[in-house]
Amino acid sequence: MTTNILLVDDTRTVLMFEKMMLRGTGFNIDMAMSGLQALEKIDKCKPDLILLDIMMPEMNGVEFCRRLRSSERFADIPVIIVTTKGDANMRDLAFQAGCNDFMTKPVQKTELLAKISNYIS
Amino acid sequence: MKNDNEVTADLIERFQNSKEFTQELVTEYENLRRAVVQLRVEKRQLEQELCGTEVGSLKVRIKQLEFDLAAQHDKNQEMAANYAIADRERREFEERYLDVENQNSDLVNLFIAAQQLHSTIDYAEVITILKDVVINMVGSEDFAIYMRDTRDDRARLIAHHGIEHRCMDSIASGDIRSTQTLSTGKMWVAKLAPGQREHLNGQPIACIPLVADGVVFGVITIYSILTQKDGFKPLDYELFELLSNQAATALMGARLNALHKEQEDDLDNFVTMLGALPKPAPLDDPRISSLEDLILW
């Protein structure tokens, strides 16, 4: 069974980079450039994991995460925050919103894969 | 009362009984002695039998087992040594694997940065991508990009991020590092102490020249790095090298493209303007015989 991962970031460069990192892992990758777009995507195809940026237009990562957790259908999807904002306040905010894990940019492949493997067997 | 004869008979009877009892005891004692002797003989025989067979074979077995144990011990030691070698090799392989993965990750970084920078010839988009690369891959949210203005040879600010409070139109007069980088074309990166993210006096921590075709036409000045970043790593230096060349050519290409478009638009406008002018008068028209006729026409 294929594992679906949704990458959410408003920067194309980051999306390309994350997609490239996960190349060859066998995951099925989908991408969204805002929280709203991500909500539309998961409604069509429920992903097994979401890599989520925080600073995004329309709907930021924290708001997206809150909405996800309040939804009965999608509340169980693991969410890993990937952001440039590594300070303690942002970390607290992200975990309060319901994210499962938190990592900062620049991203290292080994770290990213290790975090993903914690939620996908 | 008993008379003397009766007493004597009674005593004799008692002695007789005692004698019989004593004889019985002696007989029993003799029987027991014989049994003891018999048992001793049997015991000696059994001991001899055991010495000859069971104990001997057991001793041999014990020796064999001791030999096997020693051999097993040697084997165990050998296996432990092999295991230690295998474990060391596994650890080396693991480290190598991690190195390769990190190198792979670094290459992906560089590839994506270069690929994205050259994915468009739109000037504004190139600037956006360049900023994305510096923010997300280098890990800085305080930087400025200056480009040399060919008209007066001054470096002008073309983009910035997170430095609104000290944002200036051109390189600040006190910013010696950026000025030097712009004039020499040599990259400069500060040696940061552990945990240091920026210079206290607001000076840059890295200046990357933008060089295309051997000409320095700009500089990327970085003022600080992200909280989670502990100094500049080898990948950052490689990214700086890449930005120095690839960003420069991407910017130059986009700039030339914009200039080309401007010229094309000017030419189109000129052609349109020419088209709007009245057609030249046909000089062989018989109706035009004088200059006045020509003007009127």
Side-chain angles (χ1 to χ4, degrees), chain B residues 33 36 62 217 223 229 246 259 270:
Chain B
R33 269 192 68 199
V36 166
I62 287 167
F217 67 89
Y223 294 98
K229 211 170 151 73
Q246 305 294 316
L259 195 68
F270 183 67

Side-chain angles (χ1 to χ4, degrees), chain B residues 149-162:
Chain B
D149 193 330
T150 46
R151 290 168 297 183
D152 57 2
D153 208 35
R154 285 188 67 184
R156 301 213 184 277
L157 182 79
I158 57 158
H160 63 87
H161 190 92

Side-chain angles (χ1 to χ4, degrees), chain A residues 11-51:
Chain A
T11 314
R12 192 172 294 279
T13 310
V14 174
L15 287 176
M16 295 296 291
F17 174 67
E18 288 177 353
K19 191 181 175 186
M20 200 75 171
M21 289 269 188
L22 299 173
R23 204 177 164 195
T25 50
F27 300 137
N28 189 28
I29 308 295
D30 200 0
M31 298 185 284
M33 292 193 75
S34 72
L36 277 180
Q37 203 183 347
L39 282 177
E40 283 168 20
K41 291 235 174 192
I42 62 168
D43 201 38
K44 285 177 193 157
C45 175
K46 187 181 173 184
D48 299 293
L49 185 135
I50 298 173
L51 291 184

Side-chain angles (χ1 to χ4, degrees), chain A residues 11-14 16-17 20-21 83-86 104-110, chain B residues 98 101-102 104-106 108-109 111-112 115-116 132 135-137 141 226 228:
Chain A
T11 314
R12 192 172 294 279
T13 310
V14 174
M16 295 296 291
F17 174 67
M20 200 75 171
M21 289 269 188
T83 180
T84 51
K85 309 280 180 196
T104 51
K105 295 174 189 172
V107 176
Q108 274 293 321
K109 188 180 178 181
T110 42
Chain B
L98 272 175
E101 278 294 335
N102 287 336
N104 186 20
S105 175
D106 292 354
V108 168
N109 258 299
F111 171 75
I112 294 292
Q115 191 235 23
Q116 287 294 300
D132 288 344
I135 295 167
N136 295 293
M137 293 183 176
E141 286 194 320
L226 295 170
Q228 66 268 20

Side-chain angles (χ1 to χ4, degrees), chain B residues 5 23 44 65 115 191 228 252:
Chain B
N5 287 337
Q23 275 175 341
R44 209 170 297 130
L65 283 170
Q115 191 235 23
K191 283 189 177 72
Q228 66 268 20
M252 189 57 96

Side-chain angles (χ1 to χ4, degrees), chain B residues 193-297:
Chain B
Q196 189 187 353
R197 294 177 48 241
E198 60 189 326
H199 273 311
L200 292 174
N201 56 8
Q203 285 291 308
I205 54 169
C207 297
I208 303 121
L210 293 168
V211 186
D213 205 18
V215 179
V216 187
F217 67 89
V219 61
I220 302 172
T221 304
I222 294 175
Y223 294 98
S224 75
I225 48 174
L226 295 170
T227 328
Q228 66 268 20
K229 211 170 151 73
D230 189 21
F232 290 117
K233 302 209 164 82
L235 173 66
D236 296 319
Y237 287 86
E238 288 187 41
L239 271 168
F240 292 159
E241 288 287 345
L242 178 133
L243 287 175
S244 181
N245 298 304
Q246 305 294 316
T249 47
L251 276 171
M252 189 57 96
R255 203 186 214 186
L256 287 173
N257 179 57
L259 195 68
H260 174 73
K261 264 190 182 163
E262 264 177 43
Q263 287 173 345
E264 208 175 60
D265 289 348
D266 286 350
L267 200 66
D268 281 348
N269 289 339
F270 183 67
V271 169
T272 313
M273 201 174 72
L274 279 180
L277 284 175
K279 283 181 185 171
L283 294 176
D284 55 344
D285 193 326
R287 288 171 296 175
I288 299 166
S289 55
S290 64
L291 185 63
E292 198 175 72
D293 290 341
L294 185 68
I295 292 165
L296 282 171
W297 187 90

Side-chain angles (χ1 to χ4, degrees), chain A residues 64-78:
Chain A
F64 171 81
C65 208
R66 277 197 200 110
R67 286 215 194 171
L68 200 74
R69 292 298 177 238
S70 61
S71 147
E72 207 172 293
R73 220 175 121 205
F74 306 120
D76 60 331
I77 303 173

